[in-house]
Amino acid sequence: MREELEEKLANEFPFMRRGNSYKEQEKSGEIRDLFGAFGCEVGDGWYEVLRGLCHEVAKAYESAGLPVDIVVDRVKEKFGQLRFHYHRVDYDPGIHAIDSLDGRDLQAKPDRSELHQEVTKIVQKWKISSTTVCESCGAAGVLRRDLRWVQTLCQQCYSPRKQKIDEWRLKKEYNDGQRI
């Protein structure tokens, strides 16, 4: 995601502020904060999806009369879906999530408070919602499984990518007009 969109999210939702950059962390000899190092590793088209997720999380905390107590660990795309990994400020489990293709992901859940259960449901809802929004441009999208990796794209963003894949496969299948 473009830096200016990340900055808009951070200005609206303080829990989306990034920590030390990759270069700053690299000086210490290790990368411990993936979100700080790499930011939102999704296309600009999911800006509104991510904004909706953040808005609902902030609203849940506001309704509970509590400050937001989560630290964002990673925001990325995997298997064509938005992945939003986080932990509570006072609880860092080390491994935050294991993503699976079938959608049954394992995520660290530090406690079973109603608020944190609600945040988990919000994140899950927006993960599912992301499969209907083009990650590239934000138009209505479809989960595409016939590219080199699974992506959610609209027809306009999908067509040129599919054409390149088809051309690549054709070149691989035929070498100078002869089937190999």
Side-chain angles (χ1 to χ4, degrees):
M1 181 174 288
R2 287 179 302 166
E3 193 173 315
E4 60 263 24
L5 293 177
E6 286 188 32
E7 286 178 21
K8 282 176 72 172
L9 285 172
N11 289 335
E12 189 171 357
F13 308 103
F15 62 91
M16 290 297 292
R17 285 201 177 94
R18 290 173 57 183
N20 291 337
S21 72
Y22 178 84
K23 287 183 180 185
E24 292 167 330
Q25 291 183 56
E26 190 177 43
K27 288 177 189 173
S28 71
E30 63 182 349
I31 306 298
R32 295 193 48 85
D33 172 13
L34 293 173
F35 183 62
F38 303 110
C40 295
E41 299 174 271
V42 298
D44 291 350
W46 279 354
Y47 170 78
E48 287 298 332
V49 173
L50 193 50
R51 187 175 177 277
L53 182 153
C54 292
H55 175 74
E56 283 193 35
V57 167
K59 192 173 178 179
Y61 276 90
E62 184 181 317
S63 295
L66 296 170
V68 177
D69 69 347
I70 64 170
V71 175
V72 179
D73 297 308
R74 194 138 193 213
V75 176
K76 65 179 185 173
E77 174 278 330
K78 188 154 188 182
F79 305 129
Q81 301 174 328
L82 173 68
R83 303 301 168 105
F84 185 89
H85 301 300
Y86 64 95
H87 68 273
R88 254 190 13 232
V89 170
D90 60 346
Y91 179 83
D92 185 352
I95 296 175
H96 304 286
I98 299 172
D99 300 322
S100 68
L101 186 57
D102 66 4
R104 288 182 261 161
D105 306 324
L106 301 173
Q107 294 197 348
K109 295 179 176 60
D111 67 25
R112 304 310 272 162
S113 73
E114 280 186 40
L115 177 58
H116 291 103
Q117 287 179 32
E118 183 178 353
V119 170
T120 299
K121 288 177 185 174
I122 290 167
V123 170
Q124 182 66 21
K125 171 188 150 188
W126 286 96
K127 172 185 163 185
I128 293 166
S129 177
S130 70
T131 64
T132 64
V133 178
C134 178
E135 183 185 358
S136 188
C137 73
V142 175
L143 196 61
R144 310 289 181 162
R145 297 180 187 272
D146 58 346
L147 299 171
R148 295 182 93 176
W149 59 88
V150 180
Q151 289 182 286
T152 300
L153 299 168
C154 67
Q155 188 62 39
Q156 187 174 354
C157 293
Y158 165 75
S159 292
R161 293 174 193 195
K162 176 68 169 138
Q163 183 178 351
K164 283 182 182 179
I165 294 294
D166 290 345
E167 288 170 2
W168 176 81
R169 286 182 180 143
L170 191 60
K171 282 181 185 176
K172 188 175 179 181
E173 190 174 319
Y174 291 93
N175 185 12
D176 293 319
Q178 303 219 357
R179 192 167 177 82
I180 54 172

